[in-house]
Amino acid sequence: MQTPSTQRTGLLFGFAAYGMWGLLPLYWHALSDIGAGEVLAHRMVWSLPTAVLILALLRRWSWVTALVRQPRKLALVVLASAVISLNWGLFIWAVSTDKVLESSLGYFINPLVSIAFGVLLLRERLRLAQWAAVAVGAAAVVVMTVAYGKLPWLSLCLAFSFATYGLIKKHVKLDGVAGFSAETAVQFLPALGFLLYLGSRGDSSFATGGLGTTVLLAFAGVATALPLIFFGSAAVRLPLSTIGLLQYLAPAFMFLLGLTVFGEEMPPERWAGFGLVWVALTILTWDALRTARRGRAELRAAARRAREETAEAAAAEAAGTAVAGTAVAGTAVAGAAER
């Protein structure tokens, strides 16, 4: 049973993780004068030494040998690396081109896409409320298509790529630090090759963009790893339902940044689209909380029945022992009388 102190600590870690993810647009916006491809490559290159440092501190290397001996799982890690690279690259490009609101919409839509994947690919059965949430989410996409005058491809690409990444991770079954380390190991050489190519052409910004730019690029790995570590610490301390609620913090922060800090336009049609997405997420959250509450009630009822059955069995055993004792005593008395 988790103590209140453990849950409070978990909430702090959860707020830190999703808060940092939600504020990442500020980090990438500070590098918006540099090409998104170069920023992405630096994020990949500097993530590997960060991962190695974390593994050294935790002394967790045993998973490496096991992974290398499983070609299928290794192939899935490579695929996950490619998908998350696409997601990272799109997000960095979106921030540099003032599309933070569209990005936040993508991460709001992501839970709905994950549910759709569960139905289509994993043959999961949805409850009525989940079907309603997916339907409202689909209506939101239609409204946003009208609002933008085109399909919101950036939001959909971010949502589908991250949902695909989650689906692959479900099959890889590596924890946060190990998965992050394996994926950055795959990304390292291609990213380093690209940076060396830029340097050979004199197009690298790492040494020519000033001290601030150099520091930001070098710490891109830390900015990537730190929220992941906080998330892992929160995940082991909090119920899944709480983690599910916290995940909306990141796109909410992105939305507020796009609206206030970056001053992106938000016409009434976009408000309508976002409103529908929020309605869908409200339905989804309500259903998740209701299901979790019902599950806890069923567990308590099962535990109560088990205790009652144990008590009844103990009482029956005690009664049987008493009867047997009486019979033995009666036999002894009868034997004494015969003598």
Side-chain angles (χ1 to χ4, degrees), residues 8-319:
R8 282 195 297 270
T9 304
L11 281 173
L12 288 175
F13 279 126
F15 278 114
Y18 285 104
M20 291 182 71
W21 275 325
L23 296 176
L24 268 181
L26 294 173
Y27 197 99
W28 305 130
H29 191 268
L31 294 166
S32 58
D33 292 336
I34 303 172
E38 184 177 0
V39 176
L40 174 63
H42 274 286
R43 184 178 189 179
M44 294 175 176
V45 165
W46 293 104
S47 287
L48 182 60
T50 305
V52 170
L53 177 61
I54 294 169
L55 290 173
L57 291 173
L58 297 176
R59 297 180 180 179
R60 291 175 56 186
W61 303 100
S62 58
W63 62 271
V64 177
T65 305
L67 178 61
V68 171
R69 290 176 179 172
Q70 301 178 70
R72 182 178 178 277
K73 183 176 283 191
L74 194 56
L76 287 175
V77 169
V78 173
L79 183 59
S81 301
V83 174
I84 198 61
S85 298
L86 173 64
N87 183 272
W88 286 357
L90 281 172
F91 184 64
I92 292 170
W93 174 81
V95 172
S96 66
T97 54
D98 299 324
K99 291 180 171 60
V100 175
L101 287 177
E102 285 188 60
S103 300
S104 72
L105 178 63
Y107 290 109
F108 275 127
I109 292 174
N110 175 66
L112 302 173
V113 176
S114 295
I115 289 174
F117 278 7
V119 173
L120 298 175
L121 302 178
L122 303 179
R123 306 296 182 185
E124 295 178 356
R125 298 181 63 181
L126 296 188
R127 296 181 292 275
L128 182 60
Q130 291 175 312
W131 277 116
V134 172
V136 175
V141 172
V142 173
V143 171
M144 295 303 286
T145 300
V146 174
Y148 283 103
K150 59 181 179 180
L151 195 69
W153 66 269
L154 176 60
S155 303
L156 292 175
C157 284
L158 287 171
F160 275 87
S161 61
F162 201 74
T164 302
Y165 176 68
L167 183 65
I168 298 169
K169 295 278 283 185
K170 185 178 179 68
H171 290 87
V172 172
K173 296 179 181 178
L174 285 176
D175 65 32
V177 174
F180 171 69
S181 303
E183 290 156 17
T184 53
V186 172
Q187 294 169 334
F188 181 77
L189 286 179
L192 180 62
F194 179 70
L195 291 178
L196 291 175
Y197 168 72
L198 289 179
S200 67
R201 294 181 51 186
D203 294 332
S204 174
S205 301
F206 185 69
T208 61
L211 179 61
T213 297
T214 301
V215 170
L216 285 174
L217 289 173
F219 275 84
V222 176
T224 302
L226 203 55
L228 180 66
I229 296 169
F230 286 150
F231 171 77
S233 300
V236 298
R237 291 174 171 85
L238 294 175
L240 190 60
S241 58
T242 305
I243 293 291
L245 291 175
L246 288 175
Q247 72 174 326
Y248 301 133
L249 286 176
F253 282 147
M254 292 179 199
F255 177 81
L256 291 174
L257 286 176
L259 200 62
T260 59
V261 177
F262 303 126
E264 296 183 19
E265 292 184 3
M266 193 68 177
E269 312 89 72
R270 289 190 189 179
W271 278 111
F274 271 92
L276 284 173
V277 171
W278 294 333
V279 168
L281 294 179
T282 300
I283 295 172
L284 204 59
T285 302
W286 169 78
D287 178 69
L289 291 174
R290 183 187 62 168
T291 303
R293 187 166 55 249
R294 184 183 300 166
R296 287 193 297 269
E298 290 175 354
L299 283 175
R300 286 194 296 269
R304 185 171 59 252
R305 285 195 301 270
R307 287 195 299 270
E308 290 172 353
E309 289 172 0
T310 301
E312 289 174 1
E317 184 179 353

